Amino acid sequence: MAQDVKNVSLSREEVLQISKEILELVRTPTDYALSVAESLVQAQEAGHASHGIIRLLEYADSVKRKVIDPSVRPTIFREEGATAVIDSHWGWGQIACKFAVKVAGEKAKEFGISIVSIQGCNHIGRLGEYIEMLAAENLISMMWCNADPSVAAYGGKDRLFGTNPWAAGIPSEDVPVVIDFATATSAEGKLRVARANGSSIPIGTVIDKEGRDSTDPQDFYDGGALLPFGGHKGYCMSLMIELLGGTLSGNHPSMNAGYSHGYGTVLVAIDPEKFFGGALFRAEISEATKKIRGATPVNPSQPVLVPGDVENIQRKKNSPMLQVSESIWQSIKEFKSTL
Amino acid sequence: MAQDVKNVSLSREEVLQISKEILELVRTPTDYALSVAESLVQAQEAGHASHGIIRLLEYADSVKRKVIDPSVRPTIFREEGATAVIDSHWGWGQIACKFAVKVAGEKAKEFGISIVSIQGCNHIGRLGEYIEMLAAENLISMMWCNADPSVAAYGGKDRLFGTNPWAAGIPSEDVPVVIDFATATSAEGKLRVARANGSSIPIGTVIDKEGRDSTDPQDFYDGGALLPFGGHKGYCMSLMIELLGGTLSGNHPSMNAGYSHGYGTVLVAIDPEKFFGGALFRAEISEATKKIRGATPVNPSQPVLVPGDVENIQRKKNSPMLQVSESIWQSIKEFKSTL
């Protein structure tokens, strides 16, 4: 489908500016508007259009519906030792995450490892962004969050888990390893696109309301469920994220009575300096990733990639001019004129 | 295949005793022999015969080949804040892991989170055991290790990663959630059994030396490789474990020049007390696991399980009398008579 999309080439500045203006038009203070806009543009540059500027429409709507408080400042709700709970007060998830990165980074450098969770947290965008911020400080990190239930347990029919992303960042002497994937087989957004295009989806992605495998995305919307990736092992990851994301953040696991909405976010940062030294660590990672990228590919035209390589390839394609789908760009400009 | 195995019913005491005696016969001090034997019997009781008393033969051989030093005591190599590196000095992996559990538990209670790695570490057995020890102290934990390369990268042919297990434990008001899986599609031991039985293996488990999908386990031994579970997402987990297990333990990622052998082990412990209190945490987990177990199953005769349930079912089957394959029991008795 991606091939059929007609793109427009835009300057980063123009895209950032209109994004910031839309956020300001829904009463986001300029510094927060710029920060959230920057996150969306970075996701766009990394090739994740689903987490890019298309979100402006949904975010503006969330502000109007008072789901997002655009000006509230995140605070530390509880802090002890190498742990902290941040309260985002249902403000911008991106602002809370960048605060969490700061707190987790400082604590990791002090204690060697830290864990920071976020309560009252709205959509946080692309997790890889925060992982990259910590990698830039030579810190290892892991991050995950739960979300509205849409994914069935292994062998079950009911929607119990969010699409529950897992992310991890590993600094090196060159580019960091950046892992960031949903533990569902597919993001819900991709089902929506397939439905709109009348496309079928691969077996193993969703089940219908009777629990039967289906290739029709509509079956998800008719009471079916997404499946976790990777069978019972992926189910374990989905469940772990749901339980730890939901409880440590105070957001509740999404099948529990206490859950209403939101993203129970947890961020762990680790300082390799405290083990065998940061320089040796980064040299080892670069040695390993060089070996991995140099492995014999099954298909000679498709070299083996390290997580994060795809995003770096996309960044090159989106520089100096950012490629944005013409229809998305049009809808954003029209949307802005309505505000 | 499991149905064809003829079992003998044995008392726990008898199995523990002979295991301990074999370990003592290869110069393991009595306290260590009892501890390692206990780990093997626990794996056997949990239904993981591959990590049970069958390992005695391999372990005794490793002692003879001076791979395992049976009497050396693990020490703390480096300790700072919430981190520690334990040196197992190529002693028993189980002894080092139980020491790591103690150190990680103490530090997690002090700092809220801790991370302990182990260098010079031999085979550690079933990771779930250590996870369960921490869960019994009401601590969350995550654990992983790298190992000899046998698994290809996603899209690659070469053996780069170990079978790299991932484990996580989550305490509740009742039984803990215990996650413990290899990030390879299959353990190497299962390929060995399939080859011995002349059985084929499912597509997606191994590739042959040309990188082609294969159902013949022999193709793995002829220069092929295991595949990571779950496509590119499982590959991310395998790679993360390899890089972090190898570097933080000082064991080196297994594709690096510094790697020789062993299990680069990392254990993270988290105290939920420091977030919203331990009692509320455990109540939330029990509420969630009850909902998960109560989910509508796709197949009415197969209820949805929570990770750890399979092991608890096996424990019931192995109590009061432990079920051991007759041929394994025979080979252990014969082996003992040769020592």
Side-chain angles (χ1 to χ4, degrees), chain B residues 88 97 185 201 244-245 248 254 283 294 324 328:
Chain B
S88 176
C97 282
T185 40
I201 50 173
L244 296 185
L248 296 180
S254 68
V324 178
I328 290 178

Side-chain angles (χ1 to χ4, degrees), chain B residues 268-315:
Chain B
V268 171
I270 302 165
D271 188 356
E273 196 62 47
K274 305 287 193 287
F275 295 82
F276 294 86
L280 183 61
F281 176 85
R282 294 188 295 276
E284 285 253 41
I285 299 299
S286 284
E287 181 187 348
T289 52
K290 199 176 163 190
K291 291 263 172 64
I292 298 168
R293 289 192 185 97
T296 318
V298 171
N299 179 340
S301 66
Q302 293 181 341
V304 173
L305 298 174
V306 166
D309 288 353
V310 167
E311 286 76 10
N312 288 330
I313 292 165
Q314 288 294 321
R315 285 179 180 122

Side-chain angles (χ1 to χ4, degrees), chain A residues 166-245:
Chain A
W166 173 264
I170 308 177
S172 78
E173 285 179 336
D174 43 280
V175 293
V177 177
V178 180
I179 292 167
D180 183 356
F181 61 83
T183 53
T185 41
S186 167
E188 191 267 325
K190 289 187 186 168
L191 297 184
R192 218 180 300 183
V193 172
R195 182 175 62 163
N197 292 341
S199 314
S200 63
I201 50 173
I203 279 282
T205 308
V206 304
I207 48 174
D208 69 13
K209 65 181 173 187
E210 306 300 337
R212 292 173 301 213
D213 284 321
S214 168
T215 58
D216 181 357
Q218 183 60 38
D219 279 331
F220 172 78
Y221 299 96
D222 289 344
L226 279 160
L227 291 173
F229 89 100
H232 70 281
K233 296 178 182 188
Y235 162 54
C236 286
M237 290 299 295
S238 177
L239 177 143
M240 180 187 84
I241 292 170
E242 189 63 49
L243 298 188
L244 297 184

Side-chain angles (χ1 to χ4, degrees), chain B residues 126-127 134 183 271:
Chain B
R126 180 179 159 259
L127 277 66
L134 287 161
T183 53
D271 188 356

Side-chain angles (χ1 to χ4, degrees), chain A residues 117-131:
Chain A
S117 66
I118 308 174
Q119 70 169 328
C121 191
N122 279 305
H123 193 253
I124 63 177
R126 180 179 160 259
L127 276 66
E129 180 187 358
Y130 315 112
I131 292 302

